[in-house]
Amino acid sequence: MTRRPPKIHEDDSRLFREAIGDVRPVTTSHAPPERPRPEPHPHMRDADEAAVPAESMLFDYDPADLEVGEELSFLRDGYPPKLLKQLKRGQFSIQADVDLHQMNAAAAQLTIAEFLAECRHDGLRCVRIIHGKGLRSKAAGPVLKGLTDRLLRRRDDVVAFASARPMQGGTGAVVVLLKG
């Protein structure tokens, strides 16, 4: 469908010319030539690289204390290994958690048993137990972490468990998958 231009009446045209007044044509001017752009330079990367030595001196930890080889993981016989991989990757939503910090071994053992029983009763499938990393433990190593590992391996209602992802507590917590 083609559009036709609207018809303009002689009176409208005359009124428009009177309202506008004298008109002069616009002459086109040429824009100034563009300067060549400078080559890109990664200024932020240079700044980051320069800041690394100073920042490395700010941390008050020994690099040897980094979490390597301290991960907990367990999969009950008869379950597919894919289940443990999914748990380690954080593909299960944590529905409840309990924190064992500042507890002695006896209190922690009772708390874990009560927490897991309550979770099973409520139909929860994936929970987190925060046991800490045992940084203040003596030469014997992390007490609550070892206790949690042993207790969970003995329970029939535990399908699998693995150390939490870094944003969920890392090796200071364990994510537990319960029978559903």
Side-chain angles (χ1 to χ4, degrees):
M1 180 165 144
T2 54
R3 300 181 96 194
R4 295 183 192 170
K7 292 185 179 181
I8 300 173
H9 294 282
E10 185 70 29
D11 291 339
D12 292 336
S13 181
R14 185 182 44 78
L15 281 173
F16 177 74
R17 275 188 250 110
E18 286 175 8
I20 296 298
D22 290 338
V23 179
R24 69 176 189 275
V26 176
T27 58
T28 58
S29 64
H30 298 288
E34 253 188 62
R35 292 187 309 175
R37 293 184 180 213
E39 289 292 318
H41 183 76
H43 296 284
M44 284 307 298
R45 187 190 72 198
D46 292 346
D48 289 345
E49 293 293 327
V52 167
E55 287 178 2
S56 67
M57 301 310 262
L58 295 176
F59 298 114
D60 59 350
Y61 67 86
D62 182 7
D65 291 340
L66 291 176
E67 303 174 12
V68 177
E70 299 176 6
E71 295 87 12
L72 299 179
S73 69
F74 168 78
L75 178 65
R76 188 156 310 282
D77 290 338
Y79 289 91
K82 179 182 177 185
L83 198 63
L84 185 60
K85 283 183 184 178
Q86 290 174 326
L87 190 64
K88 287 181 179 182
R89 289 179 183 159
Q91 294 178 343
F92 290 93
S93 180
I94 296 173
Q95 299 167 308
D97 58 12
V98 66
D99 191 346
L100 306 178
H101 279 102
Q102 307 300 323
M103 292 186 190
N104 62 26
Q109 186 172 358
L110 181 62
T111 302
I112 291 172
E114 289 174 351
F115 173 68
L116 292 178
E118 184 179 319
C119 290
R120 291 267 305 166
H121 180 265
D122 294 345
L124 303 181
R125 181 119 195 264
C126 184
V127 297
R128 177 177 56 181
I129 299 174
I130 304 167
H131 48 67
K133 297 180 182 180
L135 298 178
R136 290 179 289 188
S137 297
K138 307 294 184 257
V143 176
L144 297 180
K145 184 174 183 173
L147 173 75
T148 303
D149 184 33
R150 288 189 304 277
L151 287 176
L152 293 177
R153 287 175 187 271
R154 292 181 190 152
R155 292 185 60 101
D156 289 333
D157 57 348
V158 173
V159 173
F161 64 86
S163 289
R165 298 189 53 108
M167 64 283 242
Q168 297 171 332
T171 58
V174 67
V175 180
V176 182
L177 192 61
L178 301 170
K179 285 184 181 176

